[in-house]
Amino acid sequence: MGRRPARCSRYQKNKPFIRSRYCRGVPDPKIRIYDCGNKRAGVDLFPFSAHLVSDEKEQISSNALEAARVACNKYLIKYAGKEAFHIRTRAHPHHVIRQNKMLSCAGADRLSTGMRHSYGKPMERTARVSIGQVIVSVRSKDAHKATVFEALRRAKYKFPGRQKILESSKWGFTEWSREDYVKGRQAANRWLEADGNSVKYIAAHGPLTDRHYLRGWKYAQDAVEEKEE
């Protein structure tokens, strides 16, 4: 029995049905890698980011997610370089699709006539996405903007329904805009600290130490040194 086409499980008709102790024997999703490219690159290296956003409420199979990841990754490696981007698949396939197995041999109509509203057995997994939900995100340098758009355009053909490619106003995968990020990373008044491919917000309260500046406030040790001068 071959795999059924995506039109059989495209629409969100029922409640979410995930793998649990009641639902066993679920096959593994086809996509196993969600971050590819230069995922260890620091947050300061890739300021540009773009997103592939869903424009429909639907279900996307794990096969389609893997196909989109491969297509986007291959194009970026060829035209931007394998260390010049970071792809992150944001949709995860947790919803289990059930199918009622039918006989497909000769004389199957005599052996099994099927039945309506059958329960079925777990066959594959899909990701339930809503309108405006990000499916795939890519961060890179500003010089590769056109290449990132083309890679996401090619990945878009692997999905059913409509999607939009949007340029983000944020710095990379962070939640801060470019202007706020540059201000927060300045050495004189630093309130954003690099944390891998993201940043940590340093609040303007808490225990005072003699090693950091918080929003322009100097610590007691620095104040004492100024008085001595």
Side-chain angles (χ1 to χ4, degrees):
M1 178 180 174
R3 182 178 173 271
R4 292 185 182 178
R7 64 174 178 267
C8 298
S9 59
R10 173 179 168 183
Y11 299 106
Q12 296 185 22
K13 297 188 296 182
N14 304 317
K15 296 179 181 179
F17 184 66
I18 63 172
R19 179 181 179 180
S20 65
R21 57 178 176 168
Y22 308 108
C23 175
R24 299 180 299 274
V26 179
D28 293 331
K30 294 297 181 182
I31 180 170
R32 305 306 296 266
I33 301 172
Y34 293 89
D35 285 81
C36 55
N38 191 4
K39 57 186 178 182
R40 296 185 181 275
V43 66
D44 295 328
L45 188 60
F46 295 149
F48 172 76
S49 64
H51 306 292
L52 184 61
V53 181
S54 173
D55 203 25
E56 286 190 13
K57 182 181 179 182
E58 60 181 355
Q59 295 178 162
I60 299 176
S61 66
S62 60
N63 303 65
L65 290 172
E66 175 66 10
R69 183 193 68 84
V70 171
C72 186
N73 187 50
K74 280 187 176 181
Y75 187 85
L76 286 172
I77 288 177
K78 184 175 181 180
Y79 292 100
K82 63 180 181 179
E83 298 294 328
F85 64 92
H86 175 199
I87 303 173
R88 176 172 290 172
T89 305
R90 308 279 291 274
H92 289 244
H94 294 300
H95 182 69
V96 178
I97 297 298
R98 298 189 308 267
Q99 294 177 11
N100 182 31
K101 288 185 177 180
M102 299 285 292
L103 293 176
S104 58
C105 57
D109 54 336
R110 299 174 180 271
L111 300 175
S112 63
T113 56
M115 86 181 126
R116 291 177 291 183
H117 303 294
S118 56
Y119 192 76
K121 292 185 178 181
M123 284 297 173
E124 60 176 330
R125 296 194 194 183
T126 61
R128 295 165 67 94
V129 297
S130 57
I131 298 175
Q133 181 175 340
V134 178
I135 303 175
V136 180
S137 298
V138 181
R139 67 184 180 115
S140 181
K141 295 182 178 179
D142 290 321
H144 302 304
K145 180 188 295 187
T147 307
V148 171
F149 285 156
E150 176 62 20
L152 290 176
R153 189 190 70 84
R154 294 185 175 217
K156 186 172 66 169
Y157 290 113
K158 308 300 180 182
F159 300 133
R162 301 184 304 271
Q163 291 82 30
K164 293 180 179 178
I165 300 173
L166 303 179
E167 179 181 354
S168 176
S169 61
K170 311 294 184 183
W171 183 287
F173 289 164
T174 66
E175 60 179 331
W176 306 94
S177 64
R178 291 202 171 197
E179 294 78 11
D180 293 339
Y181 182 87
V182 172
K183 293 178 183 178
R185 292 287 287 155
Q186 291 177 354
N189 184 19
R190 179 169 294 178
W191 44 275
L192 288 177
E193 195 70 33
D195 185 25
N197 53 29
S198 186
V199 288
K200 291 190 297 187
Y201 171 71
I202 303 176
H205 57 80
L208 300 180
T209 65
D210 56 354
R211 292 176 296 175
H212 296 286
Y213 292 92
L214 291 180
R215 304 209 176 217
W217 292 91
K218 291 190 174 182
Y219 291 108
Q221 183 177 354
D222 299 328
V224 171
E225 291 178 358
E226 290 181 357
K227 289 182 181 180
E228 292 177 353
E229 292 176 357

